[in-house]
């Protein structure tokens, strides 16, 4: 009779212990799969939500009066438009999205408004990202809610401003911010309206700088940019950066705290059940010893059982964890709900890790089984 | 066939040293049916385990057919045991999740005995267990279980069968059947050593050894 057949027959005989051991593996694997799937979803969700909130940093002209900047929300100074290309092509500073803008005050139909010109968004080479701002074609304009109301502007109409004509591509929803009195157009059109050719007064960047505790990345970035963009200076939107990194760390911390506890508890659980199994099989071990079976065979019997427990537990655990992630994930991570998918890489990892986990958890009981004195065992029975 | 020379087995207990076997020397010839008799605690089972190569003596040697078994490595000793010694226990020690034929074949796992299955069936038939061959131990009577254990002990055609209280859990009728089978094996040339504290086995014995306090106090040929 083969060792495998012996293991299978023993499992079939002691179903309850096997099922309980497997349950421990299922729980450990399900938690692992659920957490990784959830963590990925949470990360994706955070990225999307934070991206929608705004930029990490703003690069503005060096001479900017910060009082005016904070009061009106943009700089009165300008810097060369090609700064954005210099930034985009440099090596050593990471970013995910870059947008060059030109903002300025002007009047339209007797009302004070803001003109905001947006250059096409730049992403790192080979890393196409979904745009953070809506793309604006040259010759078109998006009108803020308040301006549209005051000046009775409708979508599809044409407005004349600063000696150029722009077609209204859309009316923006009320935002309760300066955006309501803003006309957003292509950078080139804004430069024409504000008569500031080839100029910008802000580069907005996201994921250019991540908040790292006990470090001062802003100063590093400032040093690097001082060389690259001598007429620019960096302002970090720290609250956003902090919120962003804190949310990411929160997910990781929860994951890092709960998963080890689950794994330790499940490991102990398997170990105790393996010990019970060894105690139940003392007579069998003693007999096997008496009949000449060596320690490697005894170890194979118990580790083989643990490996089978781990393999079956891995498959069921993956299914359960994925089911839970798919079942409850979309209601938690509503923005990226559709992106929550089974991650089959986790199944591969589980198929290797779970049997190893079950075997490690059974190690002490197996060593006890191997070291049992058959003479003592057989006399005690 | 079997030479036991000045074997001592000492256990260190809280109240001091105890010699479970205290300088036992015996020569047992091939084809003997030896009954080791004595009260509980006399050392007869300890001596049996020492002969079985499962209990390393504190001193002395055990030689089977010229092989000093405690000079072998653990692995060599296990193989030697599998090939040369058959065991029968009072509690049968059948594996509960295997059928009777599988239990018998379990003994061939190490020796890789040729035609093990057909041999097992023959022995099972000799022991009148054919109709129980595919049953689990829990479905058998005590007598049937012990006969199954005898079949397992005989599968590898060992030179020596060691039986520890083989009739201890059996009624007199089944005890006779079991002893009869051991006697048959002995008549075919096998050597049998039976540990018991009863008298029933003595009728089959060619030699009876009486033990007390770890020592041989009487050694009688029948």
């Amino acid at each position: 009779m083969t060792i495998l057949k012996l293991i299978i027959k023993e499992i079939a005989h002691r179903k309850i212990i096997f099922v309980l051991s497997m349950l421990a593996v299922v729980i450990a694997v399900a938690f692992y799969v659920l957490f990784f799937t959830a963590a990925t979803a949470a990360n994706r969700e955070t990225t999307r939500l934070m991206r929608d909130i705004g930029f990490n940093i703003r690069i503005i002209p060096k001479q900017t009066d910060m009082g005016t900047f904070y009061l009106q929300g943009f700089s009165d100074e300008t810097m060369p438009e090609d700064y954005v290309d210099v930034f985009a092509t440099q090596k050593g500073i990471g970013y995910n999205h870059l947008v060059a803008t030109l903002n300025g005050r002007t009047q339209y139909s007797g009302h004070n408004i803001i003109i905001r010109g947006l250059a096409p968004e730049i992403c790192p080479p080979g890393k196409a990202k979904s745009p953070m701002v809506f793309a604006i074609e040259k010759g078109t304009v998006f009108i803020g809610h308040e301006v549209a109301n005051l000046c009775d502007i409708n979508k599809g109409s044409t407005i004349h401003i600063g000696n150029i004509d722009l077609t209204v591509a859309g009316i923006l929803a009320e935002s309760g911010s300066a955006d309501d009195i803003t006309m957003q157009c292509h950078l080139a059109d804004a430069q024409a309206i504000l008569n500031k050719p080839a100029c910008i007064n802000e580069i907005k960047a996201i994921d250019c700088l991540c908040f790292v505790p006990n470090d001062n990345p802003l100063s590093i970035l400032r040093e690097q940019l001082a060389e690259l963009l001598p007429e620019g200076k960096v302002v970090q939107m720290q609250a956003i950066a902090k919120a962003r990194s804190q949310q990411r760390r929160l997910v990781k911390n929860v994951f890092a705290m709960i998963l080890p506890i689950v794994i330790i508890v499940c490991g102990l659980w398997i170990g105790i059940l393996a010990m019970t199994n060894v105690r139940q099989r003392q007579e069998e071990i003693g007999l096997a010893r008496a009949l000449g079976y060596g320690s490697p065979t005894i170890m194979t019997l118990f580790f083989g059982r643990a490996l089978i427990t781990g393999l079956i537990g891995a498959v069921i655990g993956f299914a359960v964890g994925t089911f839970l992630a798919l079942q409850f994930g979309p209601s938690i991570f509503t923005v990226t709900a559709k992106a929550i998918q089974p991650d089959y890489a986790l199944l591969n990892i589980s198929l290797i890790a779970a049997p190893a986990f079950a075997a490690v958890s059974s190690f002490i009981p197996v060593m006890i089984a191997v070291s049992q004195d058959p003479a003592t065992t057989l006399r005690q029975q | 066939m079997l030479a036991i020379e000045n074997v001592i087995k000492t256990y260190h207990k809280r109240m001091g040293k105890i010699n479970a076997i205290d300088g036992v020397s015996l020569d047992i010839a091939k084809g003997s049916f030896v009954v080791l008799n004595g009260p509980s605690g006399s050392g007869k089972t300890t001596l049996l385990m020492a002969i079985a190569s499962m209990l390393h003596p504190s001193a002395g040697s055990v030689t089977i057919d010229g092989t000093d078994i405690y000079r072998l490595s653990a692995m060599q000793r296990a193989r030697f045991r599998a090939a040369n010694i058959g065991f029968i226990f009072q509690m049968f020690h059948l594996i509960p999740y295997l059928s009777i034929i599988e239990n018998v074949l379990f003994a061939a796992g190490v020796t890789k005995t040729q035609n093990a299955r057909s041999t097992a069936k023959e022995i099972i038939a000799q022991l009148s267990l054919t109709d129980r061959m595919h049953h689990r131990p829990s479905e058998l009577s005590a007598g049937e279980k012990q006969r199954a254990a005898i079949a397992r002990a005989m599968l590898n055609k060992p030179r020596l069968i060691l039986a520890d209280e083989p009739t201890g859990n059996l009624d007199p009728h089944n005890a006779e059947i079991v002893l009869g089978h051991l006697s048959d094996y002995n008549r075919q040339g096998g050597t049998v050593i039976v540990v018991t504290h009863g008298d029933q086995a003595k009728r089959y014995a060619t030699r009876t050894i009486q033990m007390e306090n770890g020592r041989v106090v009487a050694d009688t040929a029948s």
Side-chain angles (χ1 to χ4, degrees):
Chain A
M1 179 172 300
T2 62
I3 294 284
L4 182 63
K5 200 171 172 187
L6 267 176
I7 294 170
I8 291 169
K9 278 184 173 276
E10 194 276 331
I11 287 171
H13 181 67
R14 296 191 177 96
K15 293 183 197 77
I16 292 173
I17 282 202
F18 177 73
V19 168
L20 288 175
S21 303
M22 200 179 62
L23 189 62
V25 179
V26 167
I27 289 171
V29 172
F31 260 89
Y32 162 77
V33 170
L34 177 62
F35 270 118
F36 262 103
T37 308
T40 307
N43 219 20
R44 200 184 297 121
E45 186 93 346
T46 308
T47 305
R48 278 288 298 275
L49 288 172
M50 297 313 296
R51 193 193 71 183
D52 293 346
I53 289 171
F55 294 90
N56 284 74
I57 65 164
R58 303 167 79 178
I59 299 162
I60 56 175
K62 196 173 186 178
Q63 306 83 356
T64 299
D65 177 273
M66 296 310 287
T68 309
F69 175 74
Y70 286 123
L71 278 171
Q72 68 182 12
F74 56 86
S75 173
D76 282 333
E77 305 297 330
T78 60
M79 53 189 177
E81 184 185 345
D82 63 4
Y83 266 30
V84 71
D85 299 319
V86 174
F87 189 111
T89 54
Q90 56 68 43
K91 288 178 181 171
I93 301 172
Y95 65 90
N96 277 333
H97 304 269
L98 285 182
V99 181
T101 64
L102 176 66
N103 299 274
R105 278 168 304 192
T106 189
Q107 284 213 325
Y108 181 75
S109 296
H111 300 286
N112 288 321
I113 63 157
I114 296 170
I115 290 288
R116 179 178 300 146
L118 297 163
E121 193 171 320
I122 298 171
C123 289
K127 288 187 183 176
K129 309 258 179 188
S130 49
M132 291 189 56
V133 292
F134 47 91
I136 303 176
E137 285 181 27
K138 205 169 173 213
T140 64
V141 64
F142 287 83
I143 308 292
H145 179 79
E146 187 64 21
V147 184
N149 272 352
L150 287 171
C151 305
D152 196 22
I153 300 170
N154 297 308
K155 184 179 176 183
S157 60
T158 300
I159 61 165
H160 184 78
I161 181 167
N163 297 324
I164 61 169
D165 290 326
L166 296 172
T167 305
V168 177
I171 308 296
L172 299 176
E174 187 174 0
S175 68
S177 70
D179 286 352
D180 288 347
I181 56 157
T182 301
M183 288 186 181
Q184 304 195 39
C185 57
H186 192 276
L187 177 63
D189 292 333
Q191 288 166 339
I193 293 165
L194 297 170
N195 196 25
K196 291 180 177 174
C199 288
I200 56 173
N201 57 11
E202 185 165 339
I203 298 169
K204 293 180 178 179
I206 192 166
D207 274 346
C208 175
L209 181 68
C210 281
F211 182 76
V212 181
N214 304 321
D215 200 350
N216 191 354
L218 187 59
S219 64
I220 297 167
L221 188 70
R222 277 181 175 140
E223 279 174 26
Q224 290 174 319
L225 288 180
E227 292 176 21
L228 286 169
L229 317 172
E231 291 178 43
K233 74 174 171 183
V234 176
V235 178
Q236 186 193 24
M237 299 167 78
Q238 204 165 48
I240 292 174
K242 267 186 183 170
R244 184 187 182 113
S245 63
Q246 278 172 353
Q247 188 165 349
R248 279 181 179 171
R249 270 184 289 151
L250 179 68
V251 173
K252 283 180 184 167
N253 288 346
V254 169
F255 175 74
M257 191 177 68
I258 295 177
L259 190 62
I261 293 171
V262 170
I263 286 178
I264 289 168
V265 169
C266 290
L268 287 173
W269 179 350
I270 293 169
I272 290 166
L273 290 170
M275 194 68 225
T276 307
N277 187 244
V278 166
R279 289 183 70 83
Q280 283 181 336
R281 298 172 72 183
Q282 273 186 327
E283 180 184 351
E284 183 188 330
I285 297 163
L287 175 75
R289 288 287 205 190
L291 295 178
Y293 287 87
S295 298
T297 310
I298 309 279
M299 286 168 77
T300 307
L301 279 173
F302 283 91
F303 279 131
R305 186 183 194 281
L307 292 179
I308 290 174
T309 309
L311 280 173
I312 298 174
V315 174
I316 298 175
F318 174 78
V320 171
T322 303
F323 170 77
L324 291 174
L326 295 177
Q327 188 72 14
F328 300 109
S331 59
I332 299 166
F333 307 110
T334 49
V335 176
T336 55
K338 284 180 183 170
I340 301 173
Q341 295 292 331
D343 185 350
Y344 291 102
L346 294 178
L347 176 61
N348 294 336
I349 294 168
S350 302
L351 284 172
I352 296 167
F357 168 62
V360 168
S361 303
S362 308
F363 183 78
I364 292 174
V366 172
M367 287 303 112
I368 290 171
V370 167
S371 62
Q372 275 177 8
D373 176 4
T376 309
T377 308
L378 292 172
R379 274 190 298 182
Q380 281 173 348
Q381 294 297 316
Chain B
M1 190 242 173
L2 172 65
I4 301 162
E5 280 185 44
N6 199 28
V7 167
I8 298 170
K9 181 63 189 178
T10 305
Y11 290 107
H12 296 272
K13 303 278 182 182
R14 253 187 298 177
M15 48 277 205
K17 286 197 294 186
I18 294 172
N19 284 342
I21 314 171
D22 194 2
V24 170
S25 293
L26 289 169
D27 276 309
I28 294 172
K30 185 172 184 285
S32 305
F33 191 120
V34 178
V35 171
L36 269 177
N37 208 296
S40 294
S42 60
K44 54 190 190 300
T45 296
T46 306
L47 180 62
L48 193 81
M49 289 296 171
I51 295 168
S53 76
M54 289 201 291
L55 191 67
H56 207 299
S58 309
S61 66
V62 178
T63 306
I64 299 174
D65 281 340
T67 304
D68 185 342
I69 54 176
Y70 289 104
R71 285 190 182 275
L72 300 174
S73 69
M75 191 60 83
Q76 287 171 326
R77 203 159 53 239
R79 284 202 207 101
F80 181 88
R81 191 164 57 234
N84 297 290
I85 304 172
F87 292 95
I88 300 164
F89 305 95
Q90 181 180 356
M91 299 302 295
F92 325 122
H93 294 321
L94 296 169
I95 298 174
Y97 52 86
L98 299 182
S99 67
I100 294 310
I101 187 155
E102 287 167 338
N103 263 287
V104 173
L105 287 169
F106 190 61
V110 176
T111 55
K112 310 290 178 201
T113 306
Q114 295 241 317
N115 305 317
R117 181 164 282 273
S118 59
T119 308
K121 283 182 180 173
E122 277 173 33
I123 297 170
I124 285 170
Q126 285 167 20
L127 292 160
S128 310
L129 284 172
T130 303
D131 57 339
R132 297 298 213 174
M133 194 159 61
H134 300 293
H135 287 226
R136 294 276 176 89
S138 58
E139 297 163 338
L140 269 60
S141 69
E144 288 171 326
K145 284 179 191 172
Q146 196 59 297
R147 277 186 276 148
I150 292 172
R152 182 180 62 199
M154 289 177 172
L155 180 70
N156 294 329
K157 298 186 171 42
R159 299 181 222 191
L160 179 63
I161 285 185
L162 303 176
D164 187 8
E165 302 281 7
T167 57
N169 273 337
L170 304 180
D171 58 64
H173 173 67
N174 274 305
E176 277 304 321
I177 292 171
V178 165
L179 290 169
H181 286 301
L182 288 175
S183 181
D184 289 344
Y185 167 80
N186 174 240
R187 275 200 295 274
Q188 290 161 24
T191 306
V192 179
I193 301 176
V194 176
V195 162
T196 177
H197 54 257
D199 291 333
Q200 203 171 1
K202 287 180 184 173
R203 288 195 290 113
Y204 298 90
T206 59
R207 185 176 172 188
T208 302
I209 296 167
Q210 185 73 24
M211 289 189 74
E212 270 177 36
N213 297 322
R215 291 184 181 154
V216 174
V217 293
D219 189 345
T220 319
S222 307

